[in-house]
Amino acid sequence: MARPFPDHERYRLLSAWCDGTLSDSQMDRLDELLRTDPEFRSFYLEYMDQHAVLAADGLPVGNPLLTDRRPRSGGREVADSETDGRVRPGRESRSGRSRRGPRSWHRWSVAAAALLLIGLTAWLRPAGRRETPTVARPPLWVARPGLAPAGGFAVVVQLDQAEWQPGEGQMPSEGDILAASRLVLCSGRMTLALLSGVTLTIEGPADLELLTMDRVHCRRGKLRARVPAGAEGFVVSSPGSAVVDLGTEFALNIAGDGQARMMVFEGEAEAAVLNASGSPLRSQQVTESHAIAIDPRVGQIEKATARADEFITASVLVAPPLPLGASYRSAVMEARPWGYWRFEAIERGTTGSEVAGRPPLRATGPVHLAVAGDGNRCAEFGPGGAEQYLEMDGLWSPPATPGYAVELWFLSGRIGQSALASLIETGPTSDDYKHLFLIELTASDRQSLFPPGSVRFLHRWPPGDWGGDNMFSSRYYVPNRWHHVVAQRNGGRMELYLDGAPTESGSPRPDVESATEACRLLVGRLKPVPGPKGGVHARAFVGRIDELALYDRPLSADEIRRHFGLGALWGGSPGP
Amino acid sequence: MAQSSSAGQDTERFVRLFVEGQREVLRYILALVPDVEDAHEILQETAVDLWKKFDRYDPAFPFVPWACRFALLRVLKFRQQESRRCRCLSLEAITQLAADRSDKDELLEDRRRALAACLKHLSESERLMVEQRYSQQMSVAKIALASERNVFTLYKALERVRRRLFECVHRRLELGTNR
């Protein structure tokens, strides 16, 4: 908590903040107070809203004080171009750019609206700013609301100061899913998650063609690919050469004349120079910590000195916050959950339920708590393949009537098939665990028909190790972004909501079951340890999970929207 | 033809929603980035983002909170990109404020209504200064030049006016006279 401050200091501090005249130490003080003092934050929000109302609205509409008087000095009007050239305490104008005339912003806003209305693509900024970026008309690949465009296979996970070449290729935003398309990046970086699980980082200047989720063509640029198990065979082609990944991480620098340098950081890859018909003329396998130089002009591949600093680094994905406050907890508790875990603390290896008398969740492996923003914490499942999950220290019998609901927030660190939460039958052991319920994330898998990049809801009655009914979200999930999911049985029908929106595809025909089963709840893994012999038992989740709630009834659409809205408005994903 | 008609309707709908809601979005931004020019630039970027993602807007949700979420992301990007040029709040401070703000919509609305009444209680010179500083977006230095007053004195005067307005609004809400 910051040291207490006198009343007059806070007014002085915020008035100076409004005018841009804070010193460095004052800025530090302001930030410290905001981070640590809820009472000061409340004061800040009210004070700054007053400043915002005056600045955004001018004087309130209809106020007789609103005149067109111009400032006068010595009987003459003072033009905006005049400066006093005298003492300027602090830095009053942060931008240093020429100011607009009075109320020009209002005329601009209306003009901008008109530009949008008539579909113009040019967007002018006042003189003195950076070169005008262009705003393309909504790309044709933005097909249906909330749905991936036909053939979409690459999710834009992160853009770092990305500047696109106007008029050349697409200009996507974070969260967009791309189909086959061209991307011309003038500068900055882009991180893509392909639905196969491949993570691709590109640094501009780069000219890249996304062909399929297994192949990209790079005319020039620097890129780095991480290819998880199951996605081997990912190919990066360039003029006269190609690299195929054999399960690894590699980086590739491609010059405009086709010359390239490649380094393998983990695993193995194969590089080839191609003949005129695109077939390999000469090839070379490259193992970990080795590099090669490719010159397709002379059909040459040579070993090169491996210098990691010559290649781009892997993107560091900073998890966005999910600052769910007291209002979110209240909303969930109003819905009367059977159990509700917020992951705020771990004591003696367990994290307790907000609902009195309900069992805690016990941690196995290195799953730990992380700060999700604003004092809110979440469960974090790190990468690395360690066996880790949370299991409820007790049983739950999800009612057959009127139904049940499972709700949680998740942030996945990747596109990959991974279990979020599952209900497993308890009772006599057999060859395998028997599931009654499962929520998991999907990825492209040649041995599966599941749509990739979706949230899958499985319900099996009676509990078993195969079969059951599936629902898949019609919206995709975006790595490194918070999503809200509710999977529930409602009067025998399955319902799946992602980010407040119901899945539109028809759920399987209603079941007439009336019985239930006491089940173990598992979070972050398909089956507990020890796993059964053979078969799949991990589908380990990598990422963060928060606000897990179980209900003895289905939630209403309004309740779901409200819960999602509380997270989305001030911290969660803006929407799919 | 049907497709272009539908696209045209979407455009009109977006423009209507944005024009109706842009002031609130701008206020949201200004509370985090008080410089008016910077706030407008962020609003511009936000508008582009909203248009690009408009097909994902669910009319069952109010537009402004949805738009403010994009605005927050743009504020965070602004902070990241402009941290060398301007003094910005830390990421933690911004996220704390964004979370706390969700509980304040009704109170802030009441305060705005009270503010309109409180402005009438300012003196002539105070009202002129507020108009110059806010409506006409004059810098304090230019106001000082125009009024032939010392710039430090003007900063102090602005601070006092803002405090008077703030406390006036607070009193009106306490007395329950904000009707």
Side-chain angles (χ1 to χ4, degrees):
Chain A
M1 173 76 74
R3 58 184 164 85
F5 53 92
D7 201 49
H8 66 270
E9 184 191 346
R10 62 180 184 170
Y11 286 102
R12 182 180 310 155
L13 205 58
L14 291 192
S15 188
W17 174 234
C18 290
D19 292 326
T21 58
L22 286 179
S23 66
D24 287 342
S25 60
Q26 287 175 320
M27 190 68 210
D28 291 342
R29 177 88 171 117
L30 172 64
D31 202 83
E32 181 195 9
L33 287 166
L34 290 173
R35 282 182 283 110
T36 60
D37 190 336
E39 191 187 327
F40 183 85
R41 275 201 303 277
S42 179
F43 170 71
Y44 174 99
L45 287 170
E46 293 172 22
Y47 187 100
M48 293 307 295
D49 188 70
Q50 175 181 290
H51 165 77
V53 168
L54 292 172
D57 298 1
L59 293 178
V61 174
N63 192 305
L65 299 175
L66 192 63
T67 70
D68 59 355
R69 279 177 296 170
R70 301 277 300 183
R72 290 182 177 273
S73 173
R76 63 179 175 85
E77 283 195 0
V78 178
D80 288 341
S81 58
E82 281 194 65
T83 58
D84 59 348
R86 294 181 288 180
V87 177
R88 294 180 187 278
R91 294 184 303 154
E92 182 171 334
S93 170
R94 289 178 180 79
S95 66
R97 295 175 285 230
S98 58
R99 290 195 172 270
R100 300 181 187 85
R103 296 211 169 259
S104 61
W105 66 264
H106 187 253
R107 292 195 294 274
W108 175 87
S109 297
V110 174
L115 286 174
L116 288 173
L117 186 60
I118 61 178
L120 291 183
T121 56
W123 179 292
L124 297 178
R125 286 184 170 184
R129 296 184 190 266
R130 292 176 300 177
E131 182 184 6
T132 305
T134 60
V135 178
R137 271 187 284 255
L140 294 176
W141 48 260
V142 179
R144 287 164 289 174
L147 301 177
F153 57 80
V155 181
V156 182
V157 176
Q158 185 165 287
L159 296 172
D160 293 307
Q161 304 194 11
E163 298 270 354
W164 305 100
Q165 181 63 42
E168 301 274 357
Q170 306 296 340
M171 294 192 288
S173 303
E174 286 181 0
D176 288 343
I177 183 163
L178 308 179
S181 52
R182 186 180 176 198
L183 300 163
V184 184
L185 189 60
C186 295
S187 62
R189 286 161 67 110
M190 171 174 67
T191 302
L192 295 175
L194 280 65
L195 297 186
S196 57
V198 172
T199 302
L200 189 63
T201 303
I202 301 121
E203 183 173 281
D207 185 348
L208 188 80
E209 193 97 30
L210 298 179
L211 299 174
T212 68
M213 73 174 82
D214 295 318
R215 192 179 189 105
V216 303
H217 182 75
C218 184
R219 296 182 181 86
R220 61 184 168 92
K222 294 184 177 181
L223 56 83
R224 187 171 180 128
R226 178 151 194 93
V227 182
E232 298 89 343
F234 175 71
V235 173
V236 179
S237 63
S238 53
S241 67
V243 172
V244 58
D245 190 281
L246 304 177
T248 185
E249 181 163 356
F250 72 92
L252 189 57
N253 298 346
I254 299 161
D257 61 2
Q259 290 190 79
R261 291 175 74 84
M262 194 231 343
M263 180 168 176
V264 173
F265 291 90
E266 194 179 319
E268 203 171 343
E270 181 169 325
V273 285
L274 309 175
N275 61 20
S277 62
S279 301
L281 183 67
R282 201 164 285 122
S283 64
Q284 172 77 46
Q285 280 204 327
V286 186
T287 54
E288 189 170 317
S289 303
H290 288 89
I292 56 169
I294 305 169
D295 191 345
R297 300 172 304 175
V298 296
Q300 210 161 17
I301 303 178
E302 285 182 336
K303 287 184 183 175
T305 306
R307 283 182 42 212
D309 60 1
E310 194 183 324
F311 300 90
I312 64 171
T313 55
S315 287
V316 175
L317 299 182
V318 178
L322 183 68
L324 298 177
S327 55
Y328 184 86
R329 181 189 180 280
S330 299
V332 171
M333 293 301 286
E334 275 174 30
R336 303 183 316 279
W338 179 92
Y340 176 31
W341 300 268
R342 304 199 70 208
F343 308 105
E344 296 302 312
I346 281 188
E347 292 176 15
R348 293 190 293 277
T350 64
T351 183
S353 170
E354 300 291 305
V355 180
R358 296 306 184 198
L361 297 178
R362 181 169 299 281
T364 295
V367 57
H368 57 275
L369 300 187
V371 174
D374 137 8
N376 179 34
R377 291 178 155 197
C378 61
E380 183 166 65
F381 299 79
E387 289 173 345
Q388 54 181 346
Y389 56 93
L390 295 159
E391 183 175 359
M392 190 168 69
D393 253 2
L395 303 176
W396 180 47
S397 300
T401 53
Y404 66 88
V406 178
E407 176 184 38
L408 56 89
W409 288 82
F410 73 90
L411 178 149
S412 179
R414 58 180 186 171
I415 297 274
Q417 185 147 19
S418 43
L420 294 174
S422 59
L423 292 171
I424 301 174
E425 180 194 53
T426 184
T429 56
S430 63
D431 290 340
D432 203 351
Y433 295 99
K434 298 184 189 307
H435 281 85
L436 179 147
F437 163 93
L438 173 65
I439 312 178
E440 68 172 359
L441 308 179
T442 67
S444 175
D445 184 344
R446 293 183 178 81
Q447 299 177 3
S448 165
L449 296 173
F450 297 164
S454 296
V455 177
R456 175 194 181 206
F457 170 23
L458 167 71
H459 175 83
R460 276 185 192 141
W461 185 262
D465 55 18
W466 68 278
D469 293 322
N470 289 301
M471 278 191 84
F472 296 91
S473 64
S474 47
R475 300 171 184 235
Y476 54 87
Y477 66 93
V478 178
N480 205 47
R481 182 171 289 191
W482 283 100
H483 293 282
H484 177 256
V485 64
V486 174
Q488 61 184 20
R489 292 271 297 176
N490 185 356
R493 292 185 62 86
M494 293 172 68
E495 294 178 349
L496 177 62
Y497 289 76
L498 182 63
D499 295 339
T503 292
E504 293 162 6
S505 60
S507 70
R509 60 186 172 81
D511 213 305
V512 294
E513 72 207 39
S514 58
T516 185
E517 188 89 33
C519 291
R520 303 161 67 179
L521 171 69
L522 216 62
V523 180
R525 191 178 165 91
L526 185 65
K527 300 169 189 175
V529 179
K533 292 178 183 176
V536 176
H537 54 89
R539 287 190 190 164
F541 174 72
V542 175
R544 297 180 168 192
I545 288 176
D546 202 7
E547 310 293 323
L548 169 65
L550 307 177
Y551 301 86
D552 276 341
R553 63 173 180 88
L555 296 174
S556 68
D558 281 346
E559 284 174 313
I560 295 170
R561 271 199 294 268
R562 183 178 173 220
H563 292 182
F564 167 67
L566 285 169
L569 293 179
W570 310 112
S573 164
Chain B
M1 184 64 72
Q3 189 175 8
S4 64
S5 172
S6 172
Q9 286 171 354
D10 278 349
T11 305
E12 285 187 39
R13 194 161 60 97
F14 174 79
V15 170
R16 178 175 50 77
L17 286 168
F18 183 73
V19 169
E20 282 174 2
Q22 64 172 331
R23 260 187 197 164
E24 281 198 61
V25 178
L26 181 59
R27 281 185 213 136
Y28 177 82
I29 297 169
L30 279 162
L32 299 172
V33 181
D35 181 83
V36 175
E37 277 207 12
D38 290 341
H40 276 289
E41 179 161 348
I42 293 169
L43 180 65
Q44 288 184 43
E45 302 286 347
T46 303
V48 173
D49 293 342
L50 291 171
W51 171 238
K52 284 184 175 180
K53 297 287 178 76
F54 189 60
D55 65 323
R56 297 172 191 174
Y57 168 64
D58 182 349
F61 289 94
F63 180 80
V64 168
W66 183 75
C68 284
R69 182 66 193 107
F70 287 87
L72 177 61
L73 293 176
R74 278 293 169 184
V75 166
L76 294 176
K77 276 192 188 293
F78 171 84
R79 179 195 161 277
Q80 192 179 16
Q81 289 166 0
E82 306 289 340
S83 56
R84 287 183 186 173
R85 175 179 64 82
C86 68
R87 294 196 180 101
C88 304
L89 296 174
S90 66
L91 175 64
E92 190 179 343
I94 292 174
T95 51
Q96 295 268 17
L97 288 168
D100 287 2
R101 199 187 180 290
S102 62
D103 296 327
K104 280 192 166 293
D105 281 348
E106 202 175 318
L107 171 64
L108 293 179
E109 205 49 51
D110 287 344
R111 291 188 62 88
R112 287 167 198 161
R113 280 194 290 271
L115 180 62
C118 288
L119 280 164
K120 296 177 185 174
H121 295 294
L122 295 179
S123 68
E124 179 68 24
S125 62
E126 288 172 333
R127 277 179 268 171
L128 175 60
M129 184 167 53
V130 168
E131 187 190 334
Q132 289 173 337
R133 185 74 183 97
Y134 285 105
S135 297
Q136 301 192 36
Q137 293 181 33
M138 291 174 65
S139 67
V140 174
K142 285 183 185 145
I143 298 173
L145 177 66
S147 60
E148 296 174 346
R149 294 169 70 181
N150 179 275
V151 68
F152 289 107
T153 305
L154 271 177
Y155 278 119
K156 281 292 178 189
L158 256 181
E159 180 191 321
R160 280 196 301 273
V161 167
R162 288 169 174 144
R163 180 171 182 168
R164 281 193 59 197
L165 287 171
F166 188 88
E167 290 175 343
C168 171
V169 166
H170 183 75
R171 280 194 303 273
R172 287 189 71 86
L173 294 186
E174 273 198 329
L175 292 173
T177 55
N178 192 33
R179 296 285 181 267

